[in-house]
Amino acid sequence: MKKLFLIFLIIPFLGLCQKNEISKDLFTNYENFKETSLNKRRFKHIDIQPLIEKLKSINGFKITVLGKSIEGRTISMISIGSGETNVLLWSQMHGDETTATMAIFDIINYLKTNKESLQNIKLHFIPMLNPDGAEKFTRRNAIGIDLNRDAVRLQSPEARILKGTRDSLQADFGFNLHDQSKYYNARLTEKPATISYLAPAFDYGKNINKTRANAMKIIVQMNDIIQQYAPGQVGRYSDEFEPRAFGDNIQKWGTSTILIESGGYYNDPEKQFIRKLNYVSILAAINSISNKSYENISVEKYKSIPKNDRKLFDLKITNLTFTHLGENYTVDIGIHHIEKENNDHTEFYNMGRISDIGDLSTYYGYSTINAEHYTFKPARTYPKIIPSFEEFKKLNFKNILNQGYTTISIDSLAPEIKFIHYPVNIINARNIAILKNNTIPKPPLNLGSNPTFLLYKNEKVAYAVINGFVYDMRNNKNEIINGIVK
Ligand SMILES: [Zn+2]
């Protein structure tokens, strides 16, 4: 009796150890399998077609064209394996959520030479379910429908493709792959929810049947793996039932559905580390489905994953005192870096924005400055007008900031210049008259405005905050992001 009990204790433990070993190998050897032609978040249907095309000649892979998007782009499925258990993975139902699409091509590279991980299972990948959205780097499809609210009405060809594929495969497991805002955090902590999971509910009562329980078990295992590489940075998505969404319905239709949301990570604007975490954890999950090791996991552990919250700023400045109409006010400031795209949705620059002001003690920042013992000075324009952009590039920016100037006016600035990789903002000298045309004095900081100001200590500039990015004037290792043209 005692021995038997011990075995029951040891078997799940061995399963976990083995799982950690597998994930360590996957993590260490990742670079051998990374699909290097995809290396930033903005890419399109045309960029993944050659990758799909090449697989046609590789033994074991089968490509099926499932149909076309509204604008006529093909939606393909890549299948590999011959086992009994069907696993369907789809990404980019939302066109601007590309992290898992990159990871899918990494996983496929791995499977080219590691077919032994496919025992008992058959995998089916649909990368980029919404190619029309991807073209414009936008969430919705070409007629403005959110595919994740079209699982029942099925007005979009893309939604019909997903439903039809799930039905024809009668998939045992489904991986619903998304991105979430980088401003999500693990509740009551300053840690970003780099990965969030959900085993969606299939009814308003949030009941747990075997289908949903299996999804929860897989999530518990994936969470254990992510915790090794991004400790504390996993959140659990709300399981409020959404009767129009795919995850909820696919769970209802009998496929154990795992939602993965890729959020933010420190200094990873193109989400390449998060992509690697997707690769490691999804492959480990595939392995677990293949050898059924998930079956021993307790569903209860799912509930111990902290909930998602949305309390992060890119930069949080606390205890900053400024003067307005003769009075002092001490506030915290929450700053977001908003991405502004070029016309063909392939590149972006950052526009800083003050998103909140006041008591922000319940919020967190990717980076934080305590301004308590610093003196605030508002943005100020360099008195000399610089004749051209070429002349501007020759300036000594550190000197200019140290003199207390944050903004430089240029006389003949080409209108296509919207941002600059320098630690100042610029204005077109011809626009100055318009900017000065205000009668009521505005506070030096305000909601929605561009966060550009200086923090002094002992009469010297300690921090320059330019376009929402902080430059520490006491060291020379500042990474320059971008200033803007006002
Ligand atoms: Zn999404």
Side-chain angles (χ1 to χ4, degrees):
M1 185 71 191
K2 223 176 193 175
K3 237 180 205 165
L4 199 65
F5 181 67
L6 204 65
I7 286 167
F8 276 118
L9 272 180
I10 283 171
I11 288 174
F13 179 70
L14 285 178
L16 185 67
C17 285
Q18 194 194 16
K19 180 125 286 23
N20 286 345
E21 282 311 309
I22 290 163
S23 74
K24 260 177 207 147
D25 275 357
L26 290 170
F27 192 87
T28 311
N29 299 319
Y30 171 68
E31 296 301 325
N32 299 338
F33 302 104
K34 181 175 179 173
E35 178 47 57
T36 51
S37 70
L38 304 174
N39 54 24
K40 52 180 190 152
R41 279 182 295 136
R42 283 167 175 80
F43 57 87
K44 303 185 184 205
H45 182 259
I46 197 171
D47 299 311
I48 64 167
Q49 295 321 299
L51 301 175
I52 296 172
E53 199 59 34
K54 263 190 250 164
L55 293 172
K56 287 182 180 166
S57 60
I58 296 179
N59 200 14
F61 286 92
K62 186 176 166 236
I63 311 300
T64 313
V65 174
L66 301 171
K68 286 184 173 175
S69 68
I70 288 174
E71 292 179 350
R73 297 186 176 89
T74 52
I75 296 168
S76 301
M77 178 165 77
I78 302 153
S79 303
I80 181 169
S82 54
E84 296 273 286
T85 305
N86 278 294
V87 182
L88 178 61
L89 307 94
W90 61 96
S91 71
Q92 238 175 312
M93 166 192 297
H94 295 136
D96 56 353
E97 300 177 6
T98 60
T99 306
T101 303
M102 294 188 274
I104 282 179
F105 286 103
D106 303 336
I107 291 168
I108 286 169
N109 283 345
Y110 174 85
L111 294 173
K112 285 176 189 168
T113 51
N114 292 279
K115 295 200 171 69
E116 72 283 356
S117 32
L118 294 166
Q119 274 172 16
N120 312 317
I121 57 174
K122 191 166 183 183
L123 302 176
H124 311 271
F125 299 93
I126 309 176
M128 200 182 275
L129 185 65
N130 177 7
D132 298 350
E135 198 67 18
K136 300 190 179 90
F137 202 67
T138 187
R139 178 181 177 88
R140 295 180 179 230
N141 75 358
I143 54 165
I145 288 182
D146 180 342
L147 295 182
N148 211 18
R149 300 292 178 267
D150 202 25
V152 178
R153 191 169 287 190
L154 295 172
Q155 283 303 292
S156 312
E158 301 90 351
R160 288 195 294 272
I161 284 170
L162 179 56
K163 165 103 170 50
T165 306
R166 203 252 28 130
D167 289 352
S168 68
L169 294 171
Q170 286 296 309
D172 299 283
F173 286 88
F175 287 79
N176 186 10
L177 306 172
H178 290 255
D179 281 77
Q180 67 184 357
S181 163
K182 64 177 168 172
Y183 303 127
Y184 280 100
N185 61 311
R187 206 166 97 90
L188 297 175
T189 79
E190 63 179 7
K191 303 243 175 146
T194 301
I195 298 284
S196 290
Y197 291 114
L198 173 66
F202 56 85
D203 62 1
Y204 284 108
K206 303 180 186 180
N207 286 302
I208 300 172
N209 59 4
K210 192 171 182 217
T211 303
R212 190 173 179 216
N214 283 345
M216 288 174 165
K217 291 174 179 186
I218 297 288
I219 288 171
V220 168
Q221 283 189 325
M222 293 177 99
N223 174 52
D224 283 343
I225 290 164
I226 301 294
Q227 292 295 344
Q228 295 173 57
Y229 305 109
Q233 289 170 231
V234 179
R236 181 162 49 98
Y237 220 82
S238 157
D239 69 347
E240 221 36 64
F241 179 59
E242 169 48 79
R244 304 167 297 165
F246 265 105
D248 309 52
N249 280 289
I250 290 180
Q251 195 90 275
K252 186 158 103 185
W253 300 329
T255 296
S256 293
T257 306
I258 295 131
L259 171 78
I260 304 179
E261 296 273 358
S262 292
Y265 188 79
Y266 308 100
N267 303 317
D268 189 17
E270 296 295 354
K271 301 180 87 157
Q272 298 299 300
F273 182 71
I274 309 171
R275 158 197 191 170
K276 180 176 176 177
L277 294 180
N278 269 262
Y279 165 89
V280 172
S281 57
I282 293 171
L283 270 173
I286 288 169
N287 185 272
S288 167
I289 293 169
S290 160
N291 64 24
K292 296 187 162 51
S293 67
Y294 69 90
E295 287 180 347
N296 303 314
I297 302 285
S298 151
V299 167
E300 284 309 302
K301 286 175 83 180
Y302 176 80
K303 290 179 191 146
S304 67
I305 302 171
K307 285 185 178 171
N308 254 12
D309 203 352
R310 192 174 173 147
K311 288 278 191 318
L312 273 171
F313 294 110
D314 289 297
L315 171 63
K316 181 184 167 187
I317 300 179
T318 59
N319 303 309
L320 183 147
T321 301
F322 69 88
T323 309
H324 182 54
L325 301 174
E327 294 289 337
N328 281 347
Y329 302 91
T330 297
V331 297
D332 307 326
I333 301 169
I335 290 165
H336 284 142
H337 300 149
I338 310 296
E339 292 184 2
K340 297 279 178 186
E341 291 187 314
N342 60 352
N343 288 337
D344 66 354
H345 313 281
T346 51
E347 306 283 345
F348 71 95
Y349 66 94
N350 289 286
M351 174 86 87
R353 187 185 69 190
I354 297 181
S355 294
D356 207 346
I357 190 161
D359 177 356
L360 303 182
S361 52
T362 57
Y363 284 78
Y364 310 94
Y366 275 91
S367 59
T368 309
I369 296 179
N370 183 358
E372 193 175 359
H373 300 295
Y374 295 83
T375 307
F376 167 85
K377 295 218 173 148
R380 209 151 59 108
T381 303
Y382 191 57
K384 194 178 151 201
I385 294 175
I386 308 301
S388 69
F389 194 56
E390 288 310 307
E391 289 300 312
F392 164 83
K393 289 181 191 170
K394 296 176 192 162
L395 296 172
N396 183 331
F397 296 100
K398 191 161 187 185
N399 271 351
I400 286 171
L401 290 170
N402 277 328
Q403 291 170 53
Y405 301 111
T406 58
T407 308
I408 292 171
S409 43
I410 300 181
D411 190 32
S412 54
L413 189 66
E416 64 270 19
I417 299 176
K418 304 265 194 266
F419 68 98
I420 43 164
H421 288 292
Y422 294 96
V424 290
N425 289 336
I426 55 182
I427 48 174
N428 196 329
R430 289 165 202 180
N431 294 340
I432 291 175
I434 301 163
L435 290 173
K436 278 184 178 165
N437 186 21
N438 50 23
T439 47
I440 306 161
K442 284 182 185 168
L445 295 169
N446 216 338
L447 205 61
S449 67
N450 186 255
T452 296
F453 52 84
L454 301 168
L455 295 173
Y456 281 69
K457 188 143 197 173
N458 303 326
E459 313 288 311
K460 283 193 174 136
V461 181
Y463 293 110
V465 177
I466 307 292
N467 187 34
F469 294 94
V470 181
Y471 302 100
D472 184 341
M473 299 304 288
R474 295 160 296 188
N475 77 46
N476 291 314
K477 289 183 204 144
N478 295 305
E479 191 199 348
I480 312 281
I481 310 292
N482 69 270
I484 54 160
V485 178
K486 288 195 188 179

